[in-house]
Amino acid sequence: MNKREFLKKSAIGALGIMLAPSLLKASLKGERLRTAHIGVGGMGEADLKAVSSHANVDVVALCDVDSRNLSAAHKLHPKARVFSDYRIMLKELGHEIDAVIVSTPDHTHAPASMLAMQMNKSVYCQKPLTHYVSESRAMKKLASEKALVTQMGIQVHSFYDYKLASLLIQSGIIGKVHTVHAWSPKNHGYDGLPPQGEDPVPAYLDWNLWAGTSRKRPYKEGVYHPGVWRKLMDYGCGTLGDMGVHIFDTPYNALQLDVPRTIINECRAANGFGFPEQNKVTYEFPGTEYTTKALKWIWYDGQGAPAMNEDLMLPGMDTQADRKQQSKAADSAGKVSLDPMIAGEHELPEQGAMFVGKKGRLLLPHFMQLPKKIVNGKYVDISEEIAKLTKEHNLGEPIRDYETEGAKHYHQFVDACLGKAKCSAPFDYASRLTETILLGTIAGRFPGETLHWDAKTAKFKEEKANTYLTGEYRAF
């Protein structure tokens, strides 16, 4: 079943939803937002808590395929109705829901979000926006056609340091940028063989609903749910789709990039099951107002990332191995470390990005740390520039607390739904950022080979790669 058939059958046949034309573009009225949450365990739990912390939110529905997650969430919101199938939830409560929060594994992002948007619901969807490039473009198109409020879940997009870094770059602090290096030592890949055999499905899990539109493999304890799905091609998007989205976001936004022209991934041969545990992906982007005629972007992930080179050397480094030690959580696909892992002055941050321009470099650690300017091997004091931009753009004071800062991105979405704000990571932006990420994961299927991307036709010059731009939806 293709995606169009699935969405048509789900929205009209299975759900029997008929929206009057006058309601299709109706704006939200009133002072409260009624939310429905699809996926309430792990990151979904964090999303639920952040959204519901807004004073004007009423949580009316909770949905999860794991009854343990659902039970825990229901204790927090006992008045909400609970469901295991998001299609049934939207059918039964569609008229009582204003906005839908999608916090599922990656392969369900688009099916759930598209269904909600077809019902004219505002949508907050976790990153990466989609599992396939074709889905990203479809979500962007539908959101635009229906003039919906949308936001992708990249919380750090609203943090002080990231907004500041964008303004510094756009002010020309290091001149036109010609290269970006970005990295994370986390490992959301899997180089092993597919598991053999099958385990009994736990009573608390609906395995069919978990697999959703994707391939339903024999259930194996500890392989797919919870958390480890990020490593697997059928369900996740690897380290690029997890940390890559966060760390790409600020350079991508600051430089006002579109999608790349070429992509090459240096990694092990594709195994058809898991993403490579180590990747070095090189993109070439068309130039913008803030870059040279073309921009080179290099992403490194996996143990030992990044591969050191002259662009990443910091003032006072004794050796090229002088970097912040990898955190214990870096290899965990099921946990999110909120430790910013503050690096010393001569240490390369565990995760981050380096802008390389004609007038110097700008280091942006990930996360909750100020960017640093480097010229001719020395740090340059930019405190005056920071103070000026902070005042001009009303950035406020940096708050070094994730719980406080993290909620801002969610509250921005709620306020936008209530007509009081504008989202900073709508699907128009998120779809392009996600497309860029996904092109890198596709390149991992053809290691060492340069792929040429045509943004207008949404196809590769290399026909064999076009197979992975979309996927068949399983009926479930």
Side-chain angles (χ1 to χ4, degrees):
M1 179 186 295
N2 63 38
K3 285 185 280 294
R4 181 175 297 179
E5 290 171 342
F6 168 81
L7 292 168
K8 182 177 180 180
K9 179 175 287 187
S10 296
I12 299 175
L15 299 185
I17 293 165
M18 297 297 291
L19 295 178
S22 62
L23 296 178
L24 289 178
K25 289 186 179 290
S27 59
L28 180 63
K29 297 179 180 180
E31 293 298 319
R32 302 200 64 77
L33 186 73
R34 301 169 299 177
T35 61
H37 299 254
I38 305 175
V40 294
M43 196 65 211
E45 179 184 13
D47 290 348
L48 172 62
K49 290 179 178 179
V51 170
S52 63
S53 70
H54 193 291
N56 296 327
V57 164
D58 294 320
V59 176
V60 298
L62 304 166
C63 181
D64 202 292
V65 299
D66 186 322
S67 63
R68 300 172 303 175
N69 296 336
L70 203 55
S71 177
H74 197 220
K75 289 179 182 178
L76 297 175
H77 299 280
K79 293 182 180 180
R81 291 193 49 193
V82 296
F83 299 85
S84 59
D85 190 328
Y86 65 84
R87 299 167 299 180
I88 296 175
M89 178 186 74
L90 291 173
K91 176 184 177 181
E92 294 189 4
L93 294 185
H95 62 291
E96 299 177 29
I97 296 168
D98 302 314
V100 176
I101 318 301
V102 179
S103 311
T104 65
D106 299 347
H107 66 283
T108 300
H109 285 183
S113 296
M114 288 289 284
L115 193 54
M117 288 193 293
Q118 285 183 335
M119 298 174 63
N120 206 40
K121 306 303 178 186
S122 298
V123 174
Y124 182 106
C125 181
Q126 259 304 328
K127 55 77 188 166
L129 189 62
T130 65
H131 194 224
Y132 294 109
V133 170
S134 60
E135 294 172 327
S136 288
R137 295 206 168 201
M139 285 178 65
K140 173 184 176 180
K141 182 174 183 289
L142 185 59
S144 175
E145 289 174 347
K146 287 182 169 288
L148 298 171
V149 175
T150 58
Q151 182 97 303
M152 183 168 74
I154 39 176
Q155 306 83 264
V156 296
H157 186 88
S158 297
F159 281 26
Y160 172 90
D161 304 291
Y162 293 91
K163 291 187 286 188
L164 173 64
S166 293
L167 292 170
L168 286 169
I169 288 296
Q170 292 177 0
S171 74
I173 196 166
I174 60 170
K176 298 280 188 180
V177 177
H178 58 79
T179 305
V180 171
H181 298 267
W183 64 92
S184 172
K186 291 194 175 185
N187 174 19
H188 294 333
Y190 178 70
D191 290 346
L193 297 173
Q196 300 298 309
E198 183 174 5
D199 293 331
V201 177
Y204 58 76
L205 178 66
D206 190 316
W207 181 235
N208 178 58
L209 292 180
W210 187 95
T213 57
S214 193
R215 181 188 306 189
K216 183 183 177 185
R217 291 180 177 271
Y219 176 79
K220 286 292 291 183
E221 184 71 30
V223 174
Y224 305 103
H225 173 77
V228 190
W229 52 266
R230 288 194 186 279
K231 299 175 179 241
L232 309 178
M233 291 179 168
D234 286 344
Y235 311 113
C237 297
T239 311
L240 258 174
D242 181 38
M243 294 312 303
V245 182
H246 285 306
I247 298 171
F248 272 53
D249 176 39
T250 299
Y252 190 87
N253 184 46
L255 299 172
Q256 297 293 289
L257 298 175
D258 200 342
V259 293
R261 291 188 294 217
T262 65
I263 314 97
I264 180 170
N265 190 337
E266 298 172 60
C267 60
R268 53 97 170 138
N271 64 17
F273 182 70
F275 291 99
E277 294 187 13
Q278 292 183 302
N279 299 267
K280 179 184 176 183
V281 186
T282 303
Y283 299 88
E284 182 189 278
F285 290 88
T288 72
E289 177 184 353
Y290 305 107
T291 73
T292 50
K293 289 184 179 180
L295 176 83
K296 184 178 182 180
W297 182 307
I298 308 171
W299 165 259
Y300 317 80
D301 68 42
Q303 186 175 10
M308 288 300 296
N309 59 68
E310 185 178 354
D311 286 347
L312 297 178
M313 292 296 292
L314 301 183
M317 267 191 170
D318 293 329
T319 68
Q320 290 195 346
D322 194 1
R323 68 183 79 188
K324 187 65 180 175
Q325 292 299 306
Q326 181 172 314
S327 67
K328 293 180 180 179
D331 191 46
S332 172
K335 296 181 179 179
V336 177
S337 174
L338 301 183
D339 180 1
M341 295 294 291
I342 304 298
E345 190 175 72
H346 309 310
E347 289 182 314
L348 193 69
E350 181 193 33
Q351 303 182 98
M354 180 78 81
F355 300 81
V356 186
K358 289 189 171 183
K359 299 179 181 179
R361 293 178 287 155
L362 191 74
L363 172 66
L364 179 62
H366 180 77
F367 59 102
M368 293 195 290
Q369 299 172 65
L370 288 173
K372 298 178 180 180
K373 181 180 178 179
I374 304 168
V375 178
N376 296 327
K378 296 181 179 180
Y379 287 117
V380 176
D381 183 5
I382 56 173
S383 56
E384 289 187 8
E385 290 91 334
I386 290 175
K388 181 174 180 289
L389 290 171
T390 297
K391 182 177 180 180
E392 286 179 354
H393 296 272
N394 195 29
L395 297 183
E397 294 296 322
I399 300 173
R400 303 305 185 204
D401 177 66
Y402 181 86
E403 296 300 324
T404 301
E405 288 284 273
K408 291 181 178 179
H409 196 65
Y410 300 92
H411 288 191
Q412 183 185 75
F413 169 73
V414 174
D415 289 337
C417 290
L418 296 173
K420 301 176 181 179
K422 184 177 180 180
C423 287
S424 59
F427 290 176
D428 175 68
Y429 169 77
S431 63
R432 291 182 286 113
L433 175 58
T434 298
E435 181 172 315
T436 297
I437 293 290
L438 296 178
L439 294 177
T441 64
I442 293 173
R445 295 176 181 268
F446 308 95
E449 184 174 342
T450 300
L451 300 182
H452 300 79
W453 180 244
D454 187 328
K456 291 184 179 179
T457 63
K459 289 185 177 181
F460 288 106
K461 177 182 176 182
E462 296 74 20
E463 187 60 35
K464 61 186 179 182
N466 292 326
T467 301
Y468 302 104
L469 296 173
T470 189
E472 286 293 308
Y473 276 9
R474 181 181 71 96
F476 70 103

